[in-house]
């Protein structure tokens, strides 16, 4: 179908372009991108009426201020579709069981969002012929504010049943494709189908979005790369993503061939939501191990810095729609069904254990049946009294594994019933037909205990529904024969591996693989005193009643709004190709250093100071060999030959190392160990920038560091003259980071009375004398120049980490302190786009080397020396 703009869709919904807008749609909202001058000519004028002017336009705009709007995107729309009799078109209705619809209903009931507007983008369960696409799209937009994504049957099958269900879904539930029978092996064609479908969804969103106003909320693993397509089109799009499935540990996730593509795509969202901390922790671990990103807590929020953008992590389990559950409990048919079940079970003096699960390999139905069999074997007193009712919903996937689960379950039910059944008593009742929702609620009402033994599940709301049903209402109380004042009770046995388990602290938590433990839990639930059942139920009901789907959705949108507050204040631009695309967001005053501007300033100035960091600046951090190449030394010598330059290498290395590395750089100034030692020229003596301190504190610090080195594989200690460094660059990143935090606290404690500071840096912890910093070098140099009655008119300072920020601060304030010429050109430049006191940045050490090589060539040209070739920068890096 040909792509259409949102304005065209609304005209279509309104029956053309000439009528009044539909009341249900309100005033026609045109995406902000369309209203930009020059895009749509008719919108650039006052409408041709003459004399309206800006005031009239302003009045009209203010009287029709757009409502807050959220575009909810998911694999499937919250819509049920059916063919009219005789093939005369389609009939649509809301799917009351859909979480997406419950989000809308509950948010509109929220006092802060009564007027929130919603648009849904997603697919339909049914295939719609291409000839009917326009008619169906109009019908859905007009009646339901839904925008359907029509997928060819083959593409949808490869996308959903192929990549989603055969590869992502098993992997996220900890099933590795060790053989073709155990989940699908990675198939590049299925991945391409996944990418294509996500792109189709993005195109549909582009038809309806007003990027400066709307919020976009994407749901679940089917659309994990959608954020990249949206962010690529609108750099400042306000975008949230919620994953409803588990996120596996890094050991599992890293087996996925497209692991980085998915991670980077998710990081193009502003807010990423998970049901539990475990899922979020696994995601953060993957970001750290595979992308080198570190997270931090910002006033209670977990956040990742990703190319200047703050990506917030949200941890909150979804809740149930309380009003829907209560309305179903009030239905007359619910009461009738409860009465039937009371006669079937309670009147026969039987207790019901209830399981409600999809018939798939991760729900643990067979493990539950084995545990129930064990219960009847070990506790003969429950035979004839306890019945397990297992409601088996149809599986959402398909394939050999689903058939095997069904066959195994039927066989086990038959075996248990044959072994323990008797006339009038059937121990296990397996219900494998679709039940009406009111029927399921009736089973909840009567069940003595609810069993959820999934081996892995993203959330699972069955326990929440059960708690609300057991709370009941006055009508059900009369049917149950209890007074309204009777305190309600319920019992839950839940797997440790489902998302709702952490929030149900009163449940009996079990390892579903431990059959004996699950059988014991069933027995405990049946034997538990009534008073304790009441207390556990009260605790659960209080939580479920206050953490419903409305609370969850409102909390997510509040955090999304908070995260996106600074969008308009940041400069944004995209970098990277394909699924590696990302947006760089920086302070408006922070910009990339333009080489042309720097060279121009260099040519017209006569007294220059150049301060260069080494590791991470002239030499990449990842380089195995850290010593400079001959090309690097030649490049520095070229700069130093210019008598108008004072060039200093400011390093954390020991002075003996620098002497060894730069023996032939006569005019190169060197600063060692953060500037504690300083040498102006090769033939000069090393001097100290601060008074020499007693290093007896090393006798305290070194044994502590050795302890951590012995227990942290891959860590090392570097003993300098005035400092000592513990590095974990080659250790496991998570364990190394954890040990570094502990070591930092340990050292601060034992060195509290010593004149030293303990600093944590990138993959290291360092102890050094108080007051020593690279800023001292800058101050010392400026003082020396000032003593010689000179005023530099050019300063270039380049570094890559926190230790260089002190230099940036000193040189940027030097003009105000009268240490530089009033019209001095000052360039403080950091490596990489990140928060910094520097005004400029360059992307990586390769850019730095090319820049320095360019300045060296300019100096050589100015003094009649043949310059190095420009590709020497690449050679120097090697």
């Amino acid at each position: 179908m040909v792509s259409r703009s949102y304005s065209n869709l609304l005209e279509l919904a309104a029956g053309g372009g000439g009528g009044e807008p539909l009341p249900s749609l309100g005033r026609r909202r045109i995406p902000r991108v369309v209203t930009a001058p020059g895009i749509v000519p008719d919108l650039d004028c006052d409408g041709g009426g003459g004399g309206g002017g800006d005031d009239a336009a302003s009045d009209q705009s203010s009287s029709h201020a757009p409502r807050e709007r959220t575009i909810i995107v998911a694999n499937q729309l919250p819509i049920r579709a059916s063919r009219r009799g005789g093939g005369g078109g389609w009939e649509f209705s809301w799917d009351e069981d859909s979480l997406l619809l419950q989000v809308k209903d509950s948010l509109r009931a929220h006092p802060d969002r009564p007027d929130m507007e919603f648009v849904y983008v997603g697919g339909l369960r049914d295939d719609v012929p291409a000839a009917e696409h326009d008619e169906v799209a109009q019908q859905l937009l007009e009646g339901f504010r839904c925008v359907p994504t029509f997928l060819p049957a083959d593409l949808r099958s490869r996308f959903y049943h192929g990549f989603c269900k055969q590869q992502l879904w098993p992997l996220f539930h900890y099933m590795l494709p060790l053989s073709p029978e155990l989940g699908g092996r990675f198939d590049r064609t299925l991945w391409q189908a996944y990418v294509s479908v996500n792109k189709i969804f993005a195109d549909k969103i582009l038809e309806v979005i007003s990027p400066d106003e709307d919020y976009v909320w994407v749901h679940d693993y089917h659309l994990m790369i959608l954020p990249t397509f949206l962010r690529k089109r609108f750099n400042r799009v306000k975008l949230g993503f919620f994953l409803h499935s588990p996120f596996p540990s890094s050991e599992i996730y890293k087996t996925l061939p497209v692991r980085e593509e998915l991670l980077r795509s998710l990081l193009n969202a502003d807010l990423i939501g998970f049901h539990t901390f475990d899922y979020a922790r696994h995601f953060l671990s993957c970001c750290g191990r595979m992308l080198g990103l570190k997270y931090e807590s910002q006033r209670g929020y977990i956040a990742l810095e990703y190319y200047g953008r703050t990506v917030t992590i949200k941890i909150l389990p979804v809740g149930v729609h309380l009003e829907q559950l209560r309305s179903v409990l009030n239905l007359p048919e619910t009461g009738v069904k409860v009465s039937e079940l009371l006669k079937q079970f309670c009147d026969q003096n039987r207790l019901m254990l209830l399981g409600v699960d999809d018939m798939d390999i991760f729900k643990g139905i067979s493990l539950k049946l084995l545990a129930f069999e064990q219960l009847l074997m070990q506790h003969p007193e429950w035979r004839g009294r306890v019945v397990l009712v297992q409601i088996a919903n149809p599986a959402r996937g398909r394939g050999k594994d689903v058939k095997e689960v069904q066959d195994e379950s039927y066989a086990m039910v038959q075996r248990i019933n044959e072994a323990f059944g008797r006339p009038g008593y059937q121990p296990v009742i397996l219900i494998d037909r679709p039940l009406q929702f009111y029927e399921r609620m009736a089973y909840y009402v009567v069940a003595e205990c609810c069993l959820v033994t999934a081996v892995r599940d993203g959330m699972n709301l069955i326990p929440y529904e059960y708690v609300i049903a057991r709370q009941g209402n006055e009508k059900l109380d009369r049917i149950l024969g209890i007074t309204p004042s009777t305190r309600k009770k319920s019992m839950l046995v839940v797997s440790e591996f489902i998302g709702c388990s952490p929030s149900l602290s009163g449940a009996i938590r079990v390892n579903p693989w431990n059959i004996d433990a699950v059988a014991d839990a069933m027995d405990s639930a049946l034997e538990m005193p009534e008073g304790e059942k009441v207390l556990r139920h009260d605790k659960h009901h209080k939580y479920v009643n206050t953490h419903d789907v409305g609370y969850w959705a409102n909390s997510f949108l509040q955090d999304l709004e908070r995260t996106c507050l600074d969008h308009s204040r940041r400069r944004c631009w995209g970098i990277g190709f394909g699924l590696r695309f990302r947006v760089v967001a920086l302070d408006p005053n922070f910009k990339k250093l333009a080489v042309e501007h720097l060279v121009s300033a260099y040519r017209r100035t006569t007294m220059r100071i150049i301060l260069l960091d080494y590791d991470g600046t002239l030499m990449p951090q990842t380089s195995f060999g850290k010593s400079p190449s001959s090309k690097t030394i030649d490049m520095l010598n070229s700069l130093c030959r210019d008598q108008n330059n004072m060039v200093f290498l400011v390093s954390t290395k020991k002075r003996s190392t620098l002497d060894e590395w730069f023996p032939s750089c006569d005019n190169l100034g060197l600063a060692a160990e953060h500037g504690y030692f300083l040498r102006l020229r090769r033939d000069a003596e090393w001097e100290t920038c601060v008074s020499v301190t007693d290093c007896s504190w090393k006798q305290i610090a070194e044994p502590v560091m050795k302890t951590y080195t012995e227990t942290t594989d891959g860590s090392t200690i570097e003993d300098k003259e005035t400092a000592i460094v513990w590095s974990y660059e080659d250790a496991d990143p998570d364990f190394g980071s954890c040990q570094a935090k502990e070591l930092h606290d340990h050292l601060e404690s034992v060195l509290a009375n010593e004149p030293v500071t303990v600093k944590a840096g990138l993959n290291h912890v360092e102890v050094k004398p108080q007051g020593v910093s690279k800023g001292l070098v800058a101050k010392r140099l400026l003082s020396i120049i000032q003593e010689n009655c000179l005023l530099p008119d050019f300063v270039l300072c380049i570094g890559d980490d926190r230790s260089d920020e002190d230099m940036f601060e000193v040189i940027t304030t030097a003009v105000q302190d009268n240490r530089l010429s009033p019209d001095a050109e000052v360039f403080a430049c950091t490596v990489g786009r990140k928060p910094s006191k520097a005004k400029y940045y360059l992307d990586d050490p390769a850019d730095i080397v090319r820049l320095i090589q360019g300045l060296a060539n300019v100096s050589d040209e100015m003094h009649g020396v043949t310059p190095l070739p420009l590709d020497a920068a690449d050679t120097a890096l090697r």
Side-chain angles (χ1 to χ4, degrees), residues 86-98:
W90 293 84
E91 291 183 352
F92 299 102
S93 61
W94 288 115
D95 180 0
E96 300 294 338
D97 295 333
S98 171

Side-chain angles (χ1 to χ4, degrees), residues 230-476:
L230 293 180
R231 185 71 61 189
K232 190 172 186 178
R233 184 62 183 85
F234 300 116
N235 290 170
R236 292 185 177 86
V237 64
K238 294 177 280 192
L239 176 59
F241 180 93
F242 199 94
L243 183 67
H244 293 273
S245 77
F247 195 94
S249 71
S250 60
E251 290 300 303
I252 298 293
Y253 180 78
K254 70 182 182 182
T255 63
L256 187 64
V258 290
R259 60 192 188 183
E260 283 197 22
E261 288 87 339
L262 291 180
L263 285 180
R264 291 189 184 279
S265 292
L266 287 180
L267 290 170
N268 276 322
D270 296 295
L271 178 66
I272 307 172
F274 300 92
H275 286 305
T276 73
F277 174 71
D278 275 349
Y279 303 162
R281 178 169 56 86
H282 294 157
F283 172 76
L284 293 169
S285 176
C286 289
C287 290
R289 290 173 178 271
M290 297 167 208
L291 304 180
L293 301 178
K294 293 186 180 296
Y295 67 92
E296 59 183 11
S297 180
Q298 297 179 350
R299 297 187 176 181
Y301 296 98
I302 299 175
L304 287 159
E305 286 295 325
Y306 187 60
Y307 289 90
R309 292 176 48 249
T310 298
V311 181
T312 304
I313 306 300
K314 175 76 172 176
I315 303 168
L316 184 65
V318 70
V320 292
H321 190 5
L322 292 174
E323 294 306 315
Q324 181 197 36
L325 296 181
R326 289 168 179 158
S327 65
V328 172
L329 289 173
N330 273 319
L331 293 175
E333 48 264 48
T334 304
V336 172
K337 186 64 179 179
V338 169
S339 299
E340 292 176 2
L341 295 176
L342 289 175
K343 292 177 183 178
Q344 183 180 354
F345 296 99
C346 299
D347 291 356
Q348 304 295 322
N349 194 31
R350 287 177 185 147
L351 300 173
M352 182 201 300
L353 301 180
L354 179 65
V356 181
D357 304 279
D358 292 345
M359 185 67 84
D360 70 47
I361 57 177
F362 297 112
K363 300 305 182 184
I365 294 177
S366 60
L367 297 176
K368 186 188 305 179
L369 292 171
L370 286 173
F372 184 68
E373 183 180 38
Q374 188 86 333
L375 173 73
L376 297 180
M377 291 173 61
Q378 295 180 349
H379 299 275
E381 67 273 18
W382 292 121
R383 299 174 190 173
R385 287 198 58 205
V386 176
V387 177
L388 172 61
V389 176
Q390 177 62 54
I391 298 174
N393 301 318
R396 301 181 189 181
R398 62 190 183 190
K400 181 181 177 182
D401 52 355
V402 174
K403 183 68 167 58
E404 289 176 350
V405 169
Q406 291 174 334
D407 293 343
E408 182 184 21
S409 299
Y410 294 143
M412 293 178 67
V413 169
Q414 183 179 355
R415 185 181 75 220
I416 295 171
N417 287 339
E418 289 176 353
F420 302 102
R422 64 183 70 161
Y425 172 65
Q426 187 178 350
V428 182
I429 299 174
L430 180 63
I431 302 174
D432 58 357
R433 63 177 178 82
L435 290 182
Q436 296 291 327
F437 190 34
Y438 78 87
E439 295 180 281
R440 194 168 86 205
M441 293 297 290
Y443 277 99
Y444 289 147
V445 171
V446 178
E448 185 69 16
C449 177
C450 183
L451 311 172
V452 184
T453 56
V455 297
R456 191 70 60 179
D457 206 352
M459 182 57 196
N460 201 314
L461 294 176
I462 298 299
Y464 290 4
E465 294 176 352
Y466 169 70
V467 168
I468 296 300
R470 291 289 287 182
Q471 185 67 19
N473 54 40
E474 292 184 6
K475 180 179 173 183
L476 291 174

